[in-house]
């Protein structure tokens, strides 16, 4: 064993011990974070507005700090942009993470000197957990590719602004920088298709060990690699490829096709990063769920998804949550977010340690007829049906279909891999049956003749790519919503319907 290898293994062992300690002390740590946040918050403008000086208990915190969203945060963000100090957190943020909002347009999420470590160290902890469990560092001994947003930051104001992945790119540790691809110059290319072409050129001859990115964009990368090299699979190009790190969307609908592209199954790690904070990560290949990030400057609260639209829904702290209930995530953090609804829904699959699965977005659902179908349910149905009928897809989305002369139904827009031949009626029937198993409201509407069995609209193989390009969101970290409660995306996909 070389000296450098011994040092690396010692560091991994030390950091893993910290992770284990955090697992065991989650409740105590959350109480400590609560106290630290309130103490710092007292000295801020929002803390004075909400009377933080009167907060001593978590109950008093919930009474003083309302659940909020970006619209309510905007006036404070504007003050920060005007140069005011100590508005949401002490001093001013280091960065604004620029992200698209469904109702708020562009959002500017603050990242402070305190909160930047949440984004960097959590990604590190995911890799540390993997290396410790596998008892090897082979995945980190070659090149690593991170398919991410541009690292170019807008410096027109005092606070640098850019995509979260671009901001994080400036904080990648030196020991990874030497192994990271693509190059900075390529990462700065704005046009996704041009950027992808350069990425392929830079990486096709590299000893790639680790690939990280959102599954549909990694899929595009694989397709370009195979087209350029004329190889049968990715393993022929990268024989030492060991690990795929993913997040942003449910991996299961993409798992089969990505494994086909790679040529074999490889290890995968799921992460749950957001501009508002790095929420959780997969810490074991053997256990279900993502480890909640309880010691990283974030105080967690949870509201039952069915209650989120009530005026004053009950808010649960970590010690109060239960297994297998659908919760909306509410955070307060050292980024200066207070009672902030990040819009995601999760379920706890373990309370010792606290592990979650992501079930969807609170705004991405279908309840046009009272069914309240969520992403977790349609992903489950699709995964089951794909296995039963042995087909792969590029992507899919679901929308309500309203009719005047007949019963309404859910319309599933599906892009099948390689335009494969399938029995659409049989697939639709099975998808409908699986969805009924997961959602009793949907079942009642089907049985009550309010809804017809779902129907499939087959779209061209590259329909979702063309759609994202048409709205200027091709590549980067952008994703097609799995569900919509309206027809905006559905109608935009109609030009790409599969020729009959």
């Amino acid at each position: 064993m070389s000296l450098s290898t011994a040092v690396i293994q010692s560091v991994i062992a030390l950091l893993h011990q910290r992770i284990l300690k955090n697992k065991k002390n989650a409740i105590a740590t959350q109480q400590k974070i609560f106290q630290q946040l309130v103490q710092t918050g007292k000295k801020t403008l929002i803390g004075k507005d909400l009377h933080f000086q009167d907060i001593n208990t978590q109950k008093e915190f919930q009474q003083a700090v309302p659940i909020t969203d970006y619209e309510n945060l905007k006036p404070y963000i504007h003050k920060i942009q005007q140069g005011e100090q100590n508005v949401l957190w002490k001093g001013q943020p280091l960065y604004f993470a620029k992200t698209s909002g469904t109702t708020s347009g562009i959002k500017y999420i603050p990242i402070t000197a305190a909160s930047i470590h949440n984004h960097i160290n959590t990604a590190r902890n995911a890799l540390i957990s993997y290396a410790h469990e596998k008892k090897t560092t082979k995945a980190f001994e070659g090149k690593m590719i991170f398919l991410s947003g541009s690292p170019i930051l807008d410096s027109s104001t005092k606070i640098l602004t850019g995509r979260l992945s671009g901001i994080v790119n400036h904080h990648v540790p030196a020991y990874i920088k030497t192994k990271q691809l693509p190059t900075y110059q390529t990462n700065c290319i704005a046009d996704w298709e041009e950027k992808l072409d350069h990425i392929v050129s830079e990486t096709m001859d590299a000893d790639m060990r680790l690939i990280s990115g959102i599954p549909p964009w990694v899929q595009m990368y694989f397709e370009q690699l195979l087209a350029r090299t004329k190889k049968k699979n990715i393993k022929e190009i990268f024989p030492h490829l060991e690990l795929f790190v993913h997040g942003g969307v449910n991996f299961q609908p993409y798992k089969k096709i990505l494994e086909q592209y790679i040529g074999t199954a490889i290890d995968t790690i799921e992460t749950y990063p957001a501009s508002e904070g790095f929420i959780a990560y997969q810490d074991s290949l053997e256990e279900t769920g993502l480890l909640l990030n309880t010691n990283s400057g974030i105080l967690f609260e949870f509201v039952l998804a069915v209650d989120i639209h009530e005026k004053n829904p009950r808010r649960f702290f970590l010690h109060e949550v239960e297994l297998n209930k659908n919760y909306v995530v509410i955070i307060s953090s050292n980024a200066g977010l207070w009672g902030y609804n990040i819009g995601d829904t999760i379920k706890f699959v373990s309370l010792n340690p606290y592990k979650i699965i992501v079930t969807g977005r609170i705004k991405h659902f279908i309840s046009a007829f009272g069914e309240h179908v969520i992403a977790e349910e349609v992903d489950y149905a699709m995964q089951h049906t794909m296995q039963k009928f042995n087909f792969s897809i590029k992507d899919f989305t679901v929308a309500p279909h309203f009719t005047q002369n007949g019963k309404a139904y859910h319309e599933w827009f599906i892009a099948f891999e390689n335009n494969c031949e399938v029995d659409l009626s049989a697939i639709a029937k099975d998808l409908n049956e699986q969805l009924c198993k997961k959602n009793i409201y949907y079942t009642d509407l089907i049985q009550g003749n309010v809804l017809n069995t779902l129907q499939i609209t087959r779209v061209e193989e590259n329909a979702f790519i063309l759609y994202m390009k048409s709205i200027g969101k091709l590549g980067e970290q952008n994703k097609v919503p799995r569900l919509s409660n309206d027809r905006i995306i559905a109608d935009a996909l109609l030009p790409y319907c599969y020729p009959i």
Side-chain angles (χ1 to χ4, degrees), residues 163-421:
R163 294 286 187 181
L164 174 64
S165 58
I167 292 169
V168 169
N169 191 274
H170 291 274
H171 293 266
V172 173
Y175 62 88
I176 290 181
K177 275 284 188 184
T178 59
K179 302 175 182 294
Q180 180 184 2
L181 288 172
T183 61
Y184 183 86
Q185 292 75 17
T186 291
N187 242 348
C188 291
I189 297 173
D191 182 81
W192 169 248
E193 291 171 305
E194 179 185 354
K195 179 176 180 175
L196 185 58
D197 187 63
H198 280 73
I199 291 174
V200 171
S201 297
E202 289 183 357
T203 60
M204 58 191 292
D205 295 319
D207 179 20
M208 199 67 63
R209 304 290 183 93
L210 182 155
I211 293 177
S212 175
I214 295 176
W217 307 118
V218 172
Q219 184 174 322
M220 290 179 64
Y221 170 58
F222 284 169
E223 290 168 353
Q224 292 287 343
L225 274 173
L226 295 174
R228 183 86 68 85
T229 62
K230 308 300 182 185
K231 299 293 186 180
K232 292 181 180 179
N233 56 56
I234 298 300
K235 268 291 191 177
E236 288 189 1
I237 306 171
F238 305 139
H240 299 124
L241 178 63
E242 181 175 329
L243 180 62
F244 174 38
V245 182
H246 61 90
V249 298
N250 188 329
F251 179 55
Q252 289 305 314
Y254 305 96
K255 185 175 186 291
K256 181 179 179 181
I257 186 60
L258 288 175
E259 287 181 353
Q260 289 175 351
Y261 281 151
I262 294 169
T264 184
I266 64 171
D267 291 335
T268 62
I269 295 176
E270 182 178 357
T271 60
Y272 179 10
S275 298
E276 296 85 356
F278 208 132
I279 306 300
Y281 64 92
Q282 183 179 349
D283 70 321
S284 172
L285 299 175
E286 305 298 327
E287 299 175 6
T288 301
L290 311 181
L291 183 66
L292 193 67
N293 204 4
T294 55
N295 190 21
S296 191
I298 300 174
L299 174 69
F300 289 100
E301 296 177 84
F302 305 91
V303 173
L304 289 170
V306 294
D307 297 336
I308 192 60
H309 298 297
E310 293 184 2
K311 186 176 181 180
N312 292 301
R314 181 180 173 185
R315 294 152 67 173
F316 299 85
F317 283 108
L318 189 60
H319 66 278
E320 301 173 301
V321 299
E322 299 179 33
L323 293 173
N324 300 316
K325 290 191 174 181
N326 209 34
Y327 292 105
V328 178
V329 181
I330 310 296
I331 67 170
S332 299
S333 76
N334 54 16
L337 302 176
W338 301 97
Y340 191 88
N341 178 359
I342 67 174
D344 292 335
T345 58
I346 60 93
K347 285 183 181 178
F348 283 90
V349 294
S350 169
L351 301 182
N352 185 26
Y354 287 95
K355 290 193 174 187
I356 64 172
I357 58 171
V358 182
T359 56
R361 294 279 294 168
I362 197 66
K363 292 178 180 176
H364 295 167
F365 65 93
I366 299 180
S367 196
F369 314 102
E371 64 274 40
H372 205 84
V373 171
I374 61 175
E376 177 194 25
E377 295 162 347
V378 297
D379 280 332
Y380 167 86
M382 178 59 79
Q383 183 64 20
H384 178 280
T385 305
M386 286 170 59
Q387 292 176 346
K388 179 176 180 179
F389 291 92
N390 192 31
F391 65 87
S392 299
I393 63 169
K394 283 291 188 70
D395 216 333
F396 77 101
T397 192
V398 186
H401 190 282
F402 308 92
T403 60
Q404 292 182 339
N405 300 320
K407 287 185 294 184
Y409 56 86
H410 285 187
E411 187 171 12
W412 290 50
F413 292 81
I414 305 176
F416 292 89
E417 177 70 19
N418 295 323
N419 288 327
C420 58
E421 293 297 324

